[in-house]
Amino acid sequence: MEQSSETSTGEAGLDAYALGGRERTRRAARAAVAARRLAGEGLVGVALTWVDVSGITRTKTVPVERLEHAAAWGVGMSPVFDVFLLDDSIVSGNHIGGPVGDLRLHPVLERLVPMAALPGWAHAPAHRYAQDGSPHPLDARALLRRETDRLAALGWSVKAAFEIEWAVSKGDGDAFVPACKGPAYGMTRVTELAGYLRDVLGALKETGVTVVQLHPEYAAGQYEVSVAAEDPLGAADTAVLVRETVRAMSMEHGLAASFSPKVEADSVGNGAHVHLSLWREDAADGPANAMAGGSGPYGTTAPGEAFAAGILRRLPALLAVGAPAVASYLRLVPSHWAGAFACWGLENREAALRFVTGAEGERATAANLEVKCLDGAANPYLLLAALLATGRDGLDTDLRLPEPVDVDPAGLPEEERTARGIAPLPSSLAEAVAAFEADTVLRDALGEAVTDTVAAVRRGEIALFDGATPEEIAAATRWRH
Ligand code: GLU
Ligand code: MG
């Protein structure tokens, strides 16, 4: 967990995270030390990144000599980026929009790392504050921090990890040309791109990312990397770092990486499944995983089950954050392992929630919930904040899960699905946005400005693709995230 002298009490507003004079001084001192170290290692620039509402990682960079100033006073950036669409056109919401205003990007020094895939560059995720040091209401990292603090106040912590899928194309053209020919999950694919994959693994390791697996995926040219679970802020930071590392290493090898939910209109898409486990912090023998060792279904404890049920109940609304692109709904179709039905099941890859116990003997640490219906167009901070808020609502109401599903729901007769309460998830972004806007739990947790801005950006992208064919949507989304 991040150490900071800022107060973090889990209060309703973000005011608890305001940046005061003493904290600025502390950060400047820490940054000065870090900058000297980086300069000594030959590093030249630091990329301060944040992810916008449309899921695009945006940045301002500073020379290492300027890190100390940036840590104390931030780097200017317009708030208008909150209403950017994926094609860089701009909409306006009721809270954000227009060319006036200034936000300060402040590097999170605890997560400052040299990026092995970008020689000479370091990376730091950023928080966005107003000039008076108050947190920007749309700072998704601050929203996630608040959600972790709200759970902490109840005695819970969460471990999370994003699985990252991407498709590798030859060259730098706009069309997708698979960079390998081998079959799904085939060793051939590792052999074909062995040097590239070795360099991806090496760069991730050098950057401090703990990779647990890398494998060829199903679709043409598709691969996936899974990383170790961390606290939610760390998991979101890592998701950004992994993507930028893979992107850079792809370019280094004359390849291009697409993280788009749907690289080609007629193929299986890229997911960005989220793994979550809930831990009781005050258990007698140290933190205990609430997803295991209980008397609920497949060994869940009552709180573990309630947390999962809270997420399951709100999946349609969560999709406006977790499957946020028009292209997301080309991916989120039945029988594509994307989890297009609102149901859960043990190791069921067609359920939106796949419950994973892990092998016998390691369940206490391994058991977790995989949310499958999500993709890489999502802002990982905002998405985790939303998932934690809905899980917390499940805890608050001591919710129970419905019966698990152990088949592909698409194969069940519609009457049976209806009788068992297995609903298809939204089949369009418009449907997800309607559910999101009607959802009071998410609105209360994220705040009015966030809800309004998310809806405005989504509507902007829906309008952008009005009348577009799936091929046109896939092409316009392919290289954006
Ligand atoms: N590519 C699939 C998706 O769109 C997921 C495949 C898997 O289960 O890992 O989510
Ligand atoms: Mg996968």
Side-chain angles (χ1 to χ4, degrees), residues 165 217 222 224 268-271 273 331 336-338 349 372:
E165 295 184 338
E217 253 294 343
Q222 195 181 31
E224 171 181 329
V268 165
N270 285 320
H273 311 167
R331 163 188 171 261
H336 281 58
W337 287 12
R349 287 179 168 78
K372 288 192 62 107

